[in-house]
Amino acid sequence: MAVKADAQAEQLDTAMLRLIAGVSKQVDEAVAATVFSNNEAAKRVIFSPDSDLRQRVVASIQKLAKGLLERDVEACSKLGLFPAPVTDKMQTNGHSAGTAKSELSARLSSLCGGTYFERLLTRFSVPEELFGPLSMKGLENDLYVRQINGYLPTAEVAFVDEIFKANSAILNALLTLLNERLFDNGNQRLHAPLLCLVGASNEMPESEELDALYDRFLIRRTVSQVSNNQLYKLARLAAGRNDHALTGVTIANGNGGGSEAVQQQVLSMDDFRGTATTAYSAVDVPDSVIDLLTGLRNHLQAAGEEWGPDKCEPPMYVSDRRFMKAIRMLQVAAYADGRDQVNEYDCLMLEHVFGNRPDDGVKVRQQVLDMVAADPGLQQAELVLLGLFGRTCRLLEGPEDAAELAAASAEVAQLVDLLSSRHAALAANLEGNGFPELRATLWQAEASVAAAVQALVPQMTENRKKVEDLLREAQTLAAVLRTPSASAPLLERLLPKRFKQYQKGISAKV
């Protein structure tokens, strides 16, 4: 009897080993086919959005930045995020003189052909310098009105240098003009045609009364000195020499470049006036981007222990007004880029929007990169897999139920499709040229793209390995459910780690 029992056990082991080998072969072939197909498809991905507006934006950025050293990001900011009544105020914190702040603003006015106004403020500046002198004829008629023609209330593009030197009398009128595009002239409230106001300062606002003005500037950019490796070119430029590649600049990858782009038609005032309204209705903001935006705001301004260790120190306050304007800004940027929806990489532009101090932009950018690379969907997929594993074990341990087996097989197939799609998305970023959506955008300079790719690759490579492991486990469940003679011990031999988790969960319930 003992010999007979041993023979039966050996027979069972042999059958089990055959089943394991058969299932493993099916899984290996299925996973290998999926990985190979996704990787090969990723190498052929070409993401090149195009439109007439995008071509004009490219040409305009080239024209703005031509002959200026290391000012491509500033040119993108001043132009690309300009055509929107809710996202059109920009402040440049230049902590050193001669950084081309006013030059870019003048070029912007020349480019679009709008009415231009420029003024340098001092601590002794009076409202008349910005809003026009009082009308003598009006005073004769007991009317307190200003002659506004040629001043800020009638300008379409304006540049105000040393804007934080404005006194309270100027601030009160300036806030209404910037926020509502209205100017109170006597007893009349006039609509101002202002499309873009660029403010510059060599110092940060120090008093509380300037905080409201500072918050009105949606886009903020610290303009630094030319780097040491560009000083030679700067010296040649100062000497009146335009050789040594001072006549062009590469704006984003895949946009063409050089003189050909500059010769294209540039943007007109009609583009600046009408683009925003069109963009809001034409561009969608996916749930993934909304989740990123809300998570980013929570991270930046979370205080105390509300959000645990994952919070920004010190917190950065992001007002509701700024948050809403940031979303609309991303819609305008995507539309001008030739796309019909905002993507996660667009959120990198928020380094110029959120934060109050010069070094805040670095923290915002790093948090966006961390959130893009984190992929919380992987943890959810693993939880789904664990739930399906437990369900499969219970089905194999109990009496056969064809309907339940079919339902479980359908859910496992959905998980396989989901993981395959996620793997394809990661492969598109990691294979071939890599990150086609990020490289094709207008609003990231080449150096910014390279830095973002370098930051994203390690985490995304790890995520792809996790997806492949989960895909292998999901394919194993699918193969077991297709095997007529499958049993719980077979599943235990194939996925011992998951089986231990399943048993631990049962013990905890008991």
Side-chain angles (χ1 to χ4, degrees):
M1 290 177 63
V3 171
K4 187 176 180 181
D6 289 342
Q8 290 176 343
E10 186 177 349
Q11 247 183 351
L12 288 174
D13 285 344
T14 303
M16 178 67 73
L17 289 174
R18 288 176 180 172
L19 275 177
I20 292 173
V23 170
S24 298
K25 183 179 179 181
Q26 293 179 43
V27 171
D28 290 341
E29 290 176 350
V31 173
T34 300
V35 171
F36 178 80
S37 175
N38 288 341
N39 289 345
E40 290 301 309
K43 295 175 182 178
R44 298 189 296 270
V45 170
I46 300 176
F47 188 81
S48 55
D50 196 19
S51 65
D52 291 338
L53 177 61
R54 178 187 168 98
Q55 293 174 6
R56 294 196 295 276
V57 170
V58 173
S60 300
I61 294 175
Q62 292 279 359
K63 189 170 182 179
L64 273 181
K66 183 179 180 182
L68 298 179
L69 294 175
E70 299 179 346
R71 294 294 177 259
D72 48 341
V73 175
E74 287 78 9
C76 287
S77 298
K78 276 190 170 62
L79 175 72
L81 309 178
F82 164 42
V86 295
T87 63
D88 54 5
K89 297 176 285 293
M90 176 178 177
Q91 184 226 349
T92 305
N93 296 322
H95 295 289
S96 56
T99 51
K101 303 185 295 291
S102 58
E103 173 65 19
L104 277 170
S105 301
R107 288 189 181 195
L108 178 61
S109 173
S110 175
L111 175 76
C112 64
T115 305
Y116 184 62
F117 175 82
E118 180 176 343
R119 191 68 77 237
L120 169 66
L121 295 184
T122 69
R123 299 193 183 281
F124 305 102
S125 295
V126 293
E128 284 74 15
E129 295 180 40
L130 286 178
F131 310 117
L134 291 173
S135 170
M136 296 297 103
K137 291 184 178 179
L139 291 175
E140 291 176 359
N141 297 321
D142 295 332
L143 296 175
Y144 191 85
V145 295
R146 297 184 182 276
Q147 296 178 352
I148 60 176
N149 289 333
Y151 289 88
L152 183 57
T154 60
E156 292 172 306
V157 181
F159 173 65
V160 181
D161 203 357
E162 297 297 347
I163 193 164
F164 293 135
K165 286 185 169 59
N167 54 45
S168 57
I170 294 176
L171 282 176
N172 292 334
L174 202 55
L175 289 176
T176 304
L177 184 64
L178 292 180
N179 200 47
E180 285 87 19
R181 293 301 190 273
L182 298 172
F183 178 72
D184 294 324
N185 195 16
N187 60 0
Q188 291 185 323
R189 173 157 282 195
L190 307 177
H191 287 276
L194 185 65
L195 288 172
C196 177
L197 186 141
V198 179
S201 175
N202 286 305
E203 58 190 22
M204 296 297 296
E206 297 297 338
S207 62
E208 292 185 2
E209 65 178 0
L210 291 173
D211 289 345
L213 175 64
Y214 191 44
D215 191 59
R216 296 302 191 276
F217 288 94
L218 180 65
I219 307 163
R220 300 161 177 172
R221 170 72 180 174
T222 300
V223 183
S224 304
Q225 288 180 309
V226 172
S227 62
N228 291 337
N229 59 359
Q230 294 289 335
L231 281 179
Y232 178 78
K233 294 181 180 180
L234 183 63
R236 298 290 294 176
L237 184 63
R241 302 293 186 267
N242 59 0
D243 53 355
H244 299 282
L246 290 178
T247 57
V249 64
T250 301
I251 306 295
N253 295 344
N255 293 333
S259 59
E260 182 179 352
V262 176
Q263 297 300 321
Q264 295 175 356
Q265 183 181 359
V266 296
L267 293 165
S268 66
M269 284 303 295
D270 289 339
D271 291 322
F272 292 133
R273 293 190 183 102
T275 297
T277 303
T278 306
Y280 301 151
S281 59
V283 176
D284 184 33
V285 184
D287 290 341
S288 59
V289 176
I290 293 178
D291 291 341
L292 192 155
L293 289 169
T294 54
L296 177 63
R297 173 174 163 170
N298 290 338
H299 168 81
L300 293 178
Q301 67 178 32
E305 299 299 324
E306 180 182 0
W307 295 93
D310 185 25
K311 62 181 186 295
C312 182
E313 292 291 354
M316 302 180 200
Y317 176 70
V318 180
S319 66
D320 291 345
R321 174 178 58 239
R322 178 169 295 275
F323 183 74
M324 293 176 63
K325 288 183 177 182
I327 295 175
R328 295 180 179 179
M329 179 198 75
L330 297 180
Q331 288 180 283
V332 174
Y335 180 75
D337 206 12
R339 293 179 277 119
D340 59 2
Q341 69 175 17
V342 177
N343 62 44
E344 293 177 338
Y345 301 116
D346 290 329
C347 297
L348 290 172
M349 290 185 290
L350 298 178
E351 67 173 305
H352 308 305
V353 177
F354 294 161
N356 299 314
R357 298 294 168 182
D359 59 341
D360 286 350
V362 177
K363 298 178 183 178
V364 173
R365 180 181 178 86
Q366 186 58 52
Q367 181 62 20
V368 171
L369 290 172
D370 290 345
M371 295 179 73
V372 169
D375 199 352
L378 286 181
Q379 186 176 5
Q380 297 175 358
E382 185 172 7
L383 292 175
V384 171
L385 175 69
L386 189 57
L388 288 172
F389 182 90
R391 182 178 179 184
T392 303
C393 285
R394 290 190 294 272
L395 288 172
L396 296 178
E397 290 169 347
E400 184 174 344
D401 189 331
E404 283 294 322
L405 285 172
S409 297
E411 291 187 25
V412 171
Q414 289 180 350
L415 179 60
V416 168
D417 291 341
L418 176 65
L419 292 170
S420 299
S421 299
R422 187 58 199 144
H423 184 275
L426 289 167
N429 285 326
L430 297 173
E431 298 294 328
N433 291 330
F435 298 90
E437 287 184 287
L438 176 58
R439 295 186 186 278
T441 183
L442 288 173
W443 312 124
Q444 292 292 319
E446 189 172 353
S448 299
V449 170
V453 169
Q454 186 177 10
L456 291 170
V457 164
Q459 183 61 53
M460 286 195 170
T461 302
E462 184 179 345
N463 289 346
R464 180 166 66 170
K465 177 64 170 59
K466 290 180 180 178
V467 169
E468 290 177 3
D469 292 341
L470 291 175
L471 181 60
R472 182 176 299 278
E473 292 180 321
Q475 289 283 17
T476 300
L477 283 182
V480 168
L481 288 169
R482 289 195 303 267
T483 303
S485 57
S487 61
L490 172 64
L491 202 54
E492 179 184 2
R493 299 279 289 272
L494 288 168
L495 298 173
K497 176 184 173 183
R498 297 301 178 190
F499 195 80
K500 286 182 180 178
Q501 288 179 306
Y502 169 65
Q503 286 185 318
K504 186 177 180 181
I506 292 178
S507 300
K509 288 181 180 179
V510 172

